Amino acid sequence: MFRNFSIFITALTCNFCFAQTAKLPVTITDNDSIHDVTEPSVSPDGKWVAYTVSSTNFEEDDFSTDIWMTSWDGKTTLQLTYTEAESESKPRWSPDNNYLAFHSSRTDSNEVSQLWLLNRAGGEAKKITSFAGGVEDYAWSFDGKKIAVIASIIDTAEYIEGTETAVPLVIDRYYFKEDYSEYLTTSRKHLYVLDVATEDTIRIADGDFEEELPSWSPDGKHIAFVSKRAREDWDRDDNYDIYIVEAKAHSKPRQLTTSPGKDNDPSYEAVPAWSPDGKYIAFTIGGPLKLIYYAIQHLAIIPVEGGTAKILTAAYDRNIWNPQWSADGKEIYFIGEDDQNLDLNKISINGGEIKKVISGRHTIYNYELGGENRIALQYTNPLIPEEIFVQDENGFRKLSHQNDGWLSRHQLATTKEFQSKSKDGTLISGFMVLPNNYVEGKKYPTILQIHGGPTSQNQNEWAMDWQLYAAWGYVTVSMNPRGSTTKGEKFATAIFADWGSVDVQDDLSGVDYLVNNGIADPDKLAVEGWSYGGIATNFTIVQDHRFKCAISGASIGNALAGYGTDMYIREYEGELGTPWQNFDTYVKNSLPFLHADRIKTPTLFMCGAKDFNVPLLNSEQMYQALKSLGIETQLIIYPDQYHGIDVPSYLRDRYERRKDWFDAHLKQ
């Protein structure tokens, strides 16, 4: 059946497929019953794993996250927190095994997260910080007596004195807006140390900069952190460096790394990792700043006393993150991105061969080492929503079972990996998801779903969209076109300052493959995406008229309208330059809007009203253009939502509107 250049790597089907016919198809409301299981934390004695479980709170129309823990042998599972309107996150054990710290906004009228301690001997959790802007991050010292805290400090008043009127916002920053944070003024993230016994705090590093990702030295005398404080106008780039500072009040930090790229990019939330003997720090080292987020980041180590960083993964042309040292200090573990997988790997501190720790086709988002030969992982694949798995001397097994009941009741789609050949001959990896009760030889209406980023990848993970589309009778095809980070830096930078170019051809190659192999009905095709996926959708429908409908979420068609109105000013100037100097580049990357008259495809636009990532005005422009041209279109605006829609009823609404739009245009 599969001819020519197709390479089917894995058929991800259930071992119990014979029983699936008796199971229920997945419905939109079933999404409310899936639990997100994240943030594994192994107790110091290795006997327990704490983690977070998120559930839908129907009464509040919100999501609630609680902390659970399961014994390493899997025999005992306990729910530790029971909040309804609030949530807990970032559970981390004290080194003496007696306390579990976590973030929560419970009892806080400003809805900011503070640090709490839960005594394992019993009793209620206790709030131990009261920062006005809340706690962003924290780390226990190795003796458990102190906690390094990153707190958000707000230096301006919120209201005009004597009134309840908000003060005017005074904007003087180069980087002045951010999704969820909205407008940025004088708020800063600063490093403090909290004495656990007295609950007193001291400010460690002075200056009008920001500190992130604290990490204690094994002897407890120093803290490593990440900052851009080497540059006076630190808003203008993402050249992060690692600093080391004495854990004393008002100490002067010492700059450790000096590479011209991002060192330990905070967006990945992985701290600088001290070696067990305290002599080295492992970190991620980024590529040239001129490549912004297209650059690949590698694993490196550097002597704590200073010197030249040694890159251990220079020959591994893939992104890595979250380095952690083995207990004996001879190896470093890390997450590695590779051709539709996120793998847990390890490498000797002397470099050499990279070894995969967990075999298979999967996505490992997070992990924690629990001493010799014990690893807890946040794991998923197309048949398993995120759960906590563990590996030890007895093998690899599931530890949490939050979604087992859900899975036992529902019929799951068959997801397959394949490769297609793009217009210029480049091999492109992707996924096809077949509808329930698929019949070979029958042609099906098909949805091309384009991922966001663009520097990300479709990967072997649970995707509710794919399960729903299969239940609705659709084939889904989702590729990893150039611009994705799945095959290295050259592959990613192929669309640098050239959006909607070869990536569109790569996406279309997947559609062509399914059509040529009699799977997709060429007369019943749709295309959709969110964020850059929506941008690529706009580029696709202006170039190709085969699609009967499109859905463009949180997208832009006019790069000129994006400059200065969204949060990507550093990326705009790094990739496209400024409009007054590189007008032609902006015009080329504004094809969907400036040539909207070429679009013939009925298109549904969606966006959050408060999106500062790809603001609503961009969707409004595209909607208005199509409306003026007499092309069937709608604009759906979700009130008070940012780039990610996170209200359960809005998520259900978005699924319902997508289904109605597809059904109306593909099933008539």
Side-chain angles (χ1 to χ4, degrees):
M1 173 182 171
F2 303 110
R3 322 188 281 274
N4 303 331
F5 40 80
S6 160
I7 301 174
F8 271 80
I9 304 170
T10 307
L12 294 160
T13 54
C14 288
N15 293 326
F16 45 88
C17 284
F18 63 87
Q20 283 194 351
T21 53
K23 295 183 178 182
L24 300 172
V26 178
T27 67
I28 292 173
T29 55
D30 287 326
N31 187 47
D32 293 331
S33 304
I34 290 283
H35 299 288
D36 291 331
V37 186
T38 62
E39 300 185 301
S41 180
V42 184
S43 63
D45 61 9
K47 295 180 179 180
W48 295 88
V49 180
Y51 50 90
T52 59
V53 179
S54 296
S55 308
T56 303
N57 185 326
F58 294 96
E59 291 185 3
E60 299 291 334
D61 197 14
D62 201 354
F63 295 100
S64 179
T65 303
D66 288 299
I67 297 173
W68 293 59
M69 70 177 186
T70 298
S71 59
W72 189 267
D73 60 15
K75 294 180 180 179
T76 305
T77 294
L78 302 172
Q79 184 175 349
L80 299 179
T81 65
Y82 294 83
T83 50
E84 295 182 1
E86 298 84 17
S87 293
E88 291 78 41
S89 63
K90 294 188 177 181
R92 295 172 187 168
W93 300 87
S94 63
D96 62 9
N97 224 58
N98 292 329
Y99 294 92
L100 193 64
F102 59 86
H103 277 180
S104 181
S105 61
R106 55 167 84 173
T107 75
D108 195 300
S109 60
N110 294 322
E111 298 184 345
V112 296
S113 288
Q114 302 293 348
L115 193 59
W116 293 68
L117 279 188
L118 182 65
N119 192 326
R120 290 189 61 205
E124 292 292 327
K126 178 183 180 183
K127 182 165 71 77
I128 59 172
T129 64
S130 299
F131 291 99
V135 171
E136 300 279 340
D137 197 6
Y138 72 99
W140 286 94
S141 63
F142 281 81
D143 62 7
K145 295 180 180 180
K146 297 179 180 179
I147 300 176
V149 174
I150 301 295
S152 184
I153 306 302
I154 302 172
D155 295 330
T156 56
E158 296 183 13
Y159 301 100
I160 294 175
E161 187 175 356
T163 76
E164 295 184 359
T165 303
V167 298
L169 296 176
V170 178
I171 304 295
D172 59 5
R173 294 179 60 173
Y174 172 81
Y175 179 69
F176 70 93
K177 61 195 308 187
E178 189 171 76
D179 204 34
Y180 290 93
S181 300
E182 301 186 20
Y183 290 103
L184 306 177
T185 55
T186 60
S187 177
R188 300 285 188 271
K189 290 177 280 191
H190 290 317
L191 174 62
Y192 290 79
V193 165
L194 167 74
D195 186 294
V196 176
T198 65
E199 299 181 18
D200 293 331
T201 59
I202 56 173
R203 171 99 180 259
I204 300 300
D206 294 330
D208 189 30
F209 305 101
E210 291 195 317
E211 297 88 44
E212 300 184 65
L213 303 176
S215 177
W216 286 89
S217 63
D219 63 9
K221 295 180 179 179
H222 295 85
I223 301 171
F225 64 89
V226 177
S227 180
K228 294 189 291 184
R229 60 197 297 128
R231 283 154 302 287
E232 184 176 345
D233 196 356
W234 49 271
D235 257 354
R236 287 186 175 270
D237 61 42
D238 277 330
N239 192 349
Y240 289 96
D241 290 301
I242 296 173
Y243 291 79
I244 295 177
V245 66
E246 267 196 288
K248 297 180 179 179
H250 311 294
S251 297
K252 183 178 180 180
R254 171 172 60 90
Q255 185 174 351
L256 182 64
T257 65
T258 57
S259 74
K262 300 179 186 179
D263 292 338
N264 242 78
D265 184 351
S267 64
Y268 291 98
E269 298 185 354
V271 301
W274 294 78
S275 60
D277 61 10
K279 294 181 179 180
Y280 293 90
I281 285 180
F283 66 102
T284 59
I285 185 169
L289 282 180
K290 65 181 181 180
L291 293 183
I292 51 175
Y293 42 57
Y294 295 96
I296 295 297
Q297 59 178 27
H298 291 286
L299 171 64
I301 59 174
I302 188 169
V304 169
E305 296 304 317
T308 302
K310 178 181 179 181
I311 300 177
L312 301 182
T313 59
Y316 182 71
D317 187 24
R318 300 291 186 272
N319 277 318
I320 76 98
W321 53 89
N322 198 3
Q324 296 183 31
W325 293 79
S326 61
D328 61 11
K330 294 180 179 180
E331 294 179 307
I332 300 175
Y333 290 74
F334 62 91
I335 299 292
E337 185 178 45
D338 186 28
D339 201 15
Q340 308 191 148
N341 252 29
L342 287 185
D343 291 309
L344 178 61
N345 301 322
K346 64 180 180 180
I347 190 172
S348 166
I349 62 170
N350 298 314
E353 179 187 3
I354 294 173
K355 299 176 182 178
K356 187 180 292 189
V357 178
I358 309 292
S359 61
R361 305 300 293 165
H362 51 230
T363 291
I364 297 172
Y365 275 115
N366 198 0
Y367 73 101
E368 184 165 283
L369 303 180
E372 205 65 44
N373 300 318
R374 289 193 170 192
I375 310 171
L377 312 104
Q378 181 182 331
Y379 180 95
T380 177
N381 68 33
L383 294 178
I384 302 175
E386 290 175 65
E387 294 276 8
I388 304 303
F389 281 65
V390 294
Q391 176 162 291
D392 56 20
E393 62 276 2
N394 297 316
F396 182 64
R397 58 188 166 85
K398 185 191 288 188
L399 189 71
S400 69
H401 298 273
Q402 294 288 331
N403 295 298
D404 285 8
W406 191 100
L407 291 172
S408 70
R409 297 189 300 272
H410 291 92
Q411 180 180 4
L412 301 185
T414 298
T415 302
K416 297 182 178 182
E417 297 185 69
F418 74 103
Q419 287 188 332
S420 59
K421 191 175 288 185
S422 193
K423 189 175 182 179
D424 63 1
T426 302
L427 281 176
I428 305 300
S429 299
F431 293 90
M432 68 168 73
V433 187
L434 303 179
N436 294 357
N437 304 317
Y438 172 75
V439 177
E440 187 172 334
K442 180 181 177 180
K443 297 178 181 179
Y444 289 84
T446 297
I447 300 166
L448 168 62
Q449 187 182 71
I450 306 175
H451 73 65
T455 51
S456 63
Q457 66 168 358
N458 287 308
Q459 53 204 22
N460 282 288
E461 64 183 336
W462 176 260
M464 193 65 180
D465 292 3
W466 294 358
Q467 296 296 330
L468 282 171
Y469 295 173
W472 299 343
Y474 295 106
V475 168
T476 303
V477 56
S478 202
M479 308 303 293
N480 279 305
R482 277 167 282 189
S484 307
T485 49
T486 187
K487 292 183 178 179
E489 192 167 276
K490 183 178 179 181
F491 192 85
T493 57
I495 66 165
F496 188 88
D498 195 13
W499 307 341
S501 56
V502 292
D503 57 320
V504 169
Q505 297 303 319
D506 296 349
D507 283 323
L508 293 176
S509 73
V511 177
D512 292 338
Y513 175 80
L514 267 63
V515 169
N516 293 338
N517 283 278
I519 300 170
D521 186 335
D523 296 321
K524 295 182 178 180
L525 302 175
V527 57
E528 70 150 355
W530 193 270
S531 193
Y532 187 82
I535 295 171
T537 294
N538 296 342
F539 274 98
T540 299
I541 60 178
V542 82
Q543 298 177 65
D544 194 304
H545 296 155
R546 76 178 82 179
F547 297 97
K548 300 302 179 184
C549 68
I551 301 177
S552 179
S555 71
I556 183 173
N558 177 11
L560 287 161
Y563 181 90
T565 64
D566 65 31
M567 60 184 277
Y568 290 111
I569 185 60
R570 294 187 288 243
E571 289 79 5
Y572 273 105
E573 294 194 352
E575 185 172 1
L576 305 183
T578 56
W580 49 92
Q581 290 180 316
N582 299 80
F583 184 72
D584 290 345
T585 302
Y586 276 82
V587 168
K588 181 177 69 172
N589 287 280
S590 301
L591 176 70
F593 180 69
L594 298 181
H595 290 284
D597 56 327
R598 300 178 186 176
I599 297 174
K600 309 299 179 186
T601 307
T603 304
L604 176 66
F605 295 97
M606 295 180 165
C607 193
K610 297 175 72 173
D611 190 341
F612 275 24
N613 190 308
V614 188
L616 173 61
L617 71 93
N618 300 293
S619 294
E620 290 174 330
Q621 275 199 322
M622 288 301 299
Y623 163 76
Q624 187 65 70
L626 267 61
K627 196 69 176 177
S628 296
L629 289 163
I631 298 168
E632 183 184 358
T633 186
Q634 282 186 350
L635 173 62
I636 310 301
I637 302 170
Y638 291 101
D640 296 318
Q641 294 297 283
Y642 296 97
H643 194 59
I645 307 301
D646 57 11
V647 172
S649 61
Y650 286 160
L651 290 171
R652 289 192 294 272
D653 180 89
R654 186 170 63 168
Y655 277 130
E656 289 165 356
R657 292 182 188 279
R658 287 150 87 179
K659 184 179 188 301
D660 290 346
W661 195 258
F662 291 141
D663 288 353
H665 295 91
L666 300 183
K667 291 188 175 180
Q668 298 303 316

